Amino acid sequence: MASSQPFPSGPPRPRPGFSPNPNPNPNPSAAADAIQNLQIGRPPPPSAVPGVAAAPPFTSPASRPGPPPAATSLSRPGHPPFASRPPPSSAPITSNGPPAFGLGAPRFPPPPPASQQMPPVSGPATIRAASPSAAPPQAQVARSFPGSPPSAHPPSSQPFMGPPPSSQPFMSPQLSSQPLMGPLSSRPFGGPPSSQPFGGPPSSRPFGGPPSSQPFGGPSSQPFGGLPASQPFSGLPASQPFSGLPASQPFSGPPASQPFSGPPASQPYTAPPMPFPGPPTSSSPFGTPSWQSQAQQGVPSMVSMQAPPRMFGMPPHTPGQTMASVPPVMGHSPLAGHQVSTPSKIDPNQIPRPVPSTSVVLFETRQGNQANIPPPATSDFIVKDNGNCSPRLMRCTMNQIPCTGDLLSTSSMPLALMVQPFALPHPSEEPIQVVDFGESGPLRCSRCKGYVNPFMRFVDQGRHFTCNLCGFTNETPRDYYCNLGPDGRRRDADERPELCRGTVEFVATKEYMVRDPMPAVFFFIIDVTMNAIQTGATAAACTAVSQALAELPEGPRTMVGVATFDSSIHFYNLKRASQQPLMLIVPDIQDVYTPLHTDLIVQLTECRQNLEQLLDSIPNMFENNRVTESAFGAAIKAGFLAMKPTGGKLLVFQSVLPSVGIGSLSSREAEGRTNISSGDKEAHKLLQPADKTLKTMAIEFAEYQVCVDIFLTTQTFVDIASISVVPRTTGGQVYYYYPFSAVSDTAKLYNDLRWNISRPQGFEAVMRVRCSQGLQVQEYSGNFCKRIPTDIDLPAIDCDKTIMVTFKHDDKFQEGSECGFQCALLYTTVYGQRRIRIINLSLPCTSMLSNLFRSADLDTQFACFLKQAANGVPTSPLSQVRDQITNLCINILHSYRKYCATVSSSGQLILPEALKLLPLYTLALVKSIGLRNDGRLDDRSYWISHVASLSISLAIPLVYPRMISIHDLASKEEDGSLLSATIPLSSEHINEDGIYLLENGEDGLIYVANMVNSDILQQLFGVSSADGIPTQLVLQQFDNDLSKKLNDVVNEIRRQRCSYLRLRLCRKGDPSGMFFFPYMVEDKAPGGLSYVEFLVHVHRQIQTKMA
Amino acid sequence: MAADLAGGGGGGAAAADPDGPDGVRMTWNAWPRSKVEASKCVIPVAACIAPIRASPSLLVLPYAPLRCKPPCAAVLNPFARVDFAARIWICPICFSRNHFPPHYAAISETNVPGELYPQCTTVEYAPPPHDAAAAAAAAAAAVPAPIFLFVLDTCLIEEELGFVKSAMRRALGLLPDHALVGLVTFGTQVHLHELGFSDLSKIYVFRGTKEISKEQILDQLGLFSAGIRPGAAGPPGYPKAGLQANGLHPSGSVNRFLLPASDCEYTLNALLDELQTDQWPVEAGNRSRRCTGVALSVAAGLLGACMPGTGARIIALVGGPCTEGPGMIVSKDLSEPVRSHKDLDKDAAPHFHKAVKFYDNLAKQLVNQGHVLDLFASALDQVGVAEMKVAVERTGGLVVLAESFGHPVFKDSFKRIFEDGEQSLGLSFNGTLEINCSKDIKIQGAIGPCTSLEKKGALCADTVIGQGNTTSWRMCGLDRSTCLTVFFDISPSERSSQPGIPNPQLYIQFLTNYQNPEGQMRLRVTTITRKWVDGSANTEELVEGFDQETAAVVLARYISLKMEMEEEFDATRWLDRSLIRLCSRFGDYRKDDPASFTLHPNFSIFPQFMFNLRRSQFVQVFNNSPDETAYFRMLLNRESITNSVVMIQPSLLSYSFNSPPAPALLDVASISADHILLLDAYFSVVIFHGMTIAQWRNMGYQNQPEHQAFAQLLQAPQDDAQIIIRDRFPVPRLVICDQHGSQARFLLAKLNPSATYNSAHEVAPGSDVIFTDDVSLQVFCEHLQRLAVQS
């Protein structure tokens, strides 16, 4: 089975991101012991070991100019796959050596050596110029940084790497045969997790922070009370890792420090105007990393900078590269033996668990004309786009495409793409380049209309080109003609981004516009019913909007408007220079209209002052409002009508169930409760929209490019199932603050809004995914509106939104051919430029089932399952959905067991290495809010709507949250594992004297056990007993180390998740504590299995099937 | 004889108080006894009554009236026979015997209450409030507040809007402090301004395209008036209502929109300062979108939240046609002209009937609420007065039609309605008119600014004219000059035709309940008596009792109504026939000898009235737009006889050096080069300078001291014109023109074309001719004589 592996880059990928357990074994031998312990199911460990030996390490690195990505990763010593494979002796990194090593060179946060600093300054061009073979070791060090050309590394030049990089891929074979279980099985050499050097402290993440580093920084001590945006980090000690970071966050406005310790003077903010407040490059609509812009020196299009002379279709330079001959070994971990009846033999500490990755890896999307398998979505990596797109933008559930549909169905795995077209890049990545084809527009295949991409093959001296999607041969337009080089590539291929980059943006011509690109319109609608006023929701919304105004894109194209509503709708004419604003009330909520033709939506520059005043006075104005009815439907309709001529974003703050006017709803939850007999059977119906009114409205909104985001600041049932239809159809999203507390949620509301309007986004978008003949798109899923089968309409699309695209076979692929995927997104930037973003991915086709398993992408697949489950919840009973999900997991494992596992012992539960966490995630999913029986209707509906557009990197924590202890933060600092020392989600790991932080990207639960040292409480919360902590928690920063660390940790999480965690206090022995335990997914719960039990269950099921 | 007829021109109106002390004039002051006789009289038996005409001699009685027992319920009056000894009075109308109540105990031949003074056939009762609590409340509430709800059109050009604003500002300055004021502006949409909101300007916006019911409006405004109404409804409960209206209201009340003028003057002025023309775009080739109908609905709906019985008027300032929503009279497309009489005739006005129906419903709503719609239309084109007429007339509203909001016709008229004192129009609210009359008299209906209350009874005739089927009418708004025409039918019952008690007199009592401008409820009682004329032989008495002015006016009103109600009605022919029949019946002649024809002086100028009526805007509608016609007719129907006569037959005064100003013949022959003519055609007042006078004036002689007399001559007609204009509402258009000038057509159109281009060769120098084929009065009279004497 190993022989068929066609390319070197497909090592089994143990999940790098997590440490297996909090008490990692200090040495390999201990790890080995642990492995032994794991062999509950009559393990034949030795038999597996041979595999290791079988791995033919590929020892001629020097001859390979394009080593597999792992090989280049000098700089990512901690890359787990790497770590796990080399024999302990040869891999200092993986063995105990790492800690020191990890702290030494490659970590990002500490100021890199001078040579490392070089790349940002000199820019990619200079680096690329380096001939691949000539890169000096020093340069390699530098290569771990953004601009470094990975292809330039001869592996031999890696001085620090014990194991030749090439040896990496071959580690997988060993693993494949390993009978070992659990995470450790993937690292036979027993590198204890703690020894992983890669754990770059979270603070090193240079990107992806929520736009405002501000809120997370100082604010805790002075929460948002008019905190000037210009001093976001004022509260942070300068020594904190992220004090330097804001600058690296492309979207955070003011803070200007360079993430990589670049001197402030070199800050990007001095650069030409950028679409987003932060980043300066004009070539990319979204903040590109600052250093890049420096390198570009403001050159708008990167065409001239096409870097490395490496070509695409080119075969590997050297014959030595026959990586393909490497036996494609499957990694898998047999877990449980026959004796499932004795689960006690399973050591819960040894079963597979996510391991946090702590270091940044460099990932080249293609090497040697082969697609590389991307690192896990949840890990930290820097992408070098050399043909395939960044996996952030688009990744597939499997990195090899089955040649036939039968093969796919045998595997039971889903074939789907997760497309996140505006995903935030790592700041060190090269920005997406903009290509202007002038009048004629981008070159396209005349048959399938696919856009020109690196995989289109130019033939006939360049006079023709063959489309990689439909196979049609087109004539090359005269002005695009270029001779082919001796390698068969166009000579200009490397100068043209569209021919050498997986992702490019084309400037759209008139042909792509039905009208002038729309301005950036933001319309805020605020609930002023009595309830909203009294809970402080109105005030919070007004404050948030008022402060967020500063984050709106500058310039005359930014338009804003405000309306409020109770049982009628109040518009405000903001364009009255000298006068106070004029309130225009639309009382007809059955059949709404706009009260003015103009002046409801005004240029921000014209009305900023008026608007701020108005927002100030709205809470007072309605102070005595006694209206309890809410005309939400009418309000959004009215807002829509006001925006109809332009389109734009409608941001709605709502507090109570819409009760009057069009689209009014009834309190179905209460009705369902009183009607229990029928309720049980039909319970899922309550998760469907109450009627079609809102859907119809939403479709109309979408048609006119209006995107609706809804902020639910509520304390009651609001029927999210019905309401969420509007955001889902218009490309928006629901924010849910339940139960709303003016004390603790105001900050989150502001930050959510701020991120919402300042994150990279596009308007009036249309997206289509094309693929090579043989496959066809089956379905799109996400937040959009679909009017014709092939395209989806996205009134707005932003960096957080992911669209799932599933495929089915309509033909066969040839073994060895490649299947191309191309996502084309036509959109308008916030600055009014019309662009086409083209995202290309070309994956090899295989007819080997084992290849499919080896190249399976767990994170993507699981995100796919999650979305499928969410789609299923409203239409089928919960138990059925849970069964389906469990069966999916069982079927996949069964398929693997049946067709791929070499181990004959049927008594073992054998997990494919790539999917070894699938059971755990499946279990967690079954226990998640959306699939639990005991959830509130709205919680479940919110979960469903949240999941629909969720990115892969957030899908995982949503289901399997991250938990860390915080009472001992001070001691963790030393080993740099503030965030990496995650605790399994099992109550066994909760100590009575501990305080824990559990976060899933949305909520942050702070669990305070009942015997916590009062000193620690005093330090963290300013109170001496747990009872004294206010339930509506506002995390403050006190003047002590522990408190600072906690704030740092929370801020880091916020930045990673692009979300301002909703902190919630859970006290043991208090009702609030009950929120916490359902997250302990490994525990046995009423109606739910424990992790171990679940594994046993899965194993038994597989056995049944095998028999 | 023609000269004779003409010579009487204007003379009829010369009497000091032509309406007499009662303000009642009748076509016939002696009534034929039988139906047949009545129909032979040609001119219908009708009474014109000015219910609350100002009268210096009016006796106001501070107590409640004494009424006859039901169903008669007539009020004690001088015609009652009183038995002082028995303390009994006999109702002259129903002949019931009534005892005087105890508080009349002191009555005796030498001590009679005011209502029994023989000269006091008209008295007014000002009873104190019914009970002590109400009295105290009334005192506390001081004067109850009238409500003025302004409805402003904003689909105007800037200049016009400026005029509207300045007119509004002036009006606000004149409003009594306690008056409640509200503001609605409209264009494409309706804006209802909430004046009681201090934080910022707050406007309720209603869409212009959608018909909206009163309930919807109240609901959408958050007004729920029904629950807080005091028990007493209708005018008698007024004091309580007034209290409520002025008392402290919860925020849900209508007082958010209606504020005392003193409280909201600043707000309103600020609003006016900022008021812009309608901002919705108008496509090229289209009219602006104006939703007058919805605006008025909203205004009416808002007032619906007020207490019933609150005096309230909607003052609509409209600058163009309604082009959207209900009440639309023409489409937005400019290529579609506004309907003309011709279109109406041919039924080619697609929106007309729908619009009329809408305004009819609006009228019903307003009448139910007791509120008034005033219409000030100022535009060069039509605005839909013809459609809105029903709402204005039914509610007793005022109407003014002008060319521009900057024109004095609008400006001065608008100001008049807010003035008090001498110039006051005496605008009153909540009027009801009840009529009691002797047996044998049936009431057919009324023409004028009123609505039938559908109070049927024995006194109602089978045939209906105007607002009929009732003995009681509502006049939501009325003023000192308001005049109603009531048509009577004579239908003697079996019993009364018995010779038993030949009662020679008939009695009619008019009871007018109203709320005077000061806000107090009054009951004015007018009792009149006329005599019956028996038998066909006695034409002499009939002739003696004929009032030709009233007859002309009644006929004009009647024929206007018929023209509106009956399709293909040939008015001219009908008038001619009637006139011929009248002359045949009452003329003095030998059969088939035209030369022998003479008329009694009481009839003598009637043919001339008819001649002018035939030529007037009331009959010759094709010279006018439907809006103008509606406007003229509304005023014809509501004005006094004297004024209405002027509308039919203008008066002409001639000024010259040699003689004092003298009435002149309404004839082209009156034009002379050295005379100044002053024509009062009611709607316009024309000062016409003869050619010579004009030349002198142009040379500036009037400025030279030695030509003082000329200056005075020039000034005299101006002064007289000002006197006319000052007293008139709506203010007439003043036209000053010279002979042969273009404006001279305002005069020439009204003159008898005794000299036309056909007869031009005999014209004296300095005189003038009229270019027309119309017959002259002489020709008309000759024909009349000839036809009247035909056997």
Side-chain angles (χ1 to χ4, degrees), chain A residues 572 576 579-589 591-598 614 620-621, chain B residues 189 191 194 197-207 210 212 216 220-221 271 274 276 279-281:
Chain A
Y572 300 88
R576 310 206 319 163
Q579 300 291 334
Q580 52 184 358
L582 179 68
M583 184 198 281
L584 297 141
I585 299 165
V586 173
D588 187 348
I589 49 173
D591 187 8
V592 289
Y593 41 90
T594 53
L596 277 184
H597 177 252
T598 51
L614 174 67
N620 294 333
M621 226 153 58
Chain B
Q189 293 176 331
H191 289 183
E194 182 174 333
F197 194 71
S198 50
D199 291 344
L200 77 182
S201 311
K202 195 165 166 184
I203 295 174
Y204 281 79
V205 182
F206 296 87
R207 186 178 10 187
K210 189 179 166 191
I212 179 168
Q216 283 174 315
Q220 293 182 5
L221 294 178
L271 272 179
E274 291 192 28
Q276 287 180 311
Q279 297 294 299
W280 290 80

Side-chain angles (χ1 to χ4, degrees), chain A residues 249-268:
Chain A
Q249 301 183 355
F251 319 115
S252 72
S257 62
Q258 263 214 355
F260 289 74
S261 78
S266 62
Q267 305 254 329

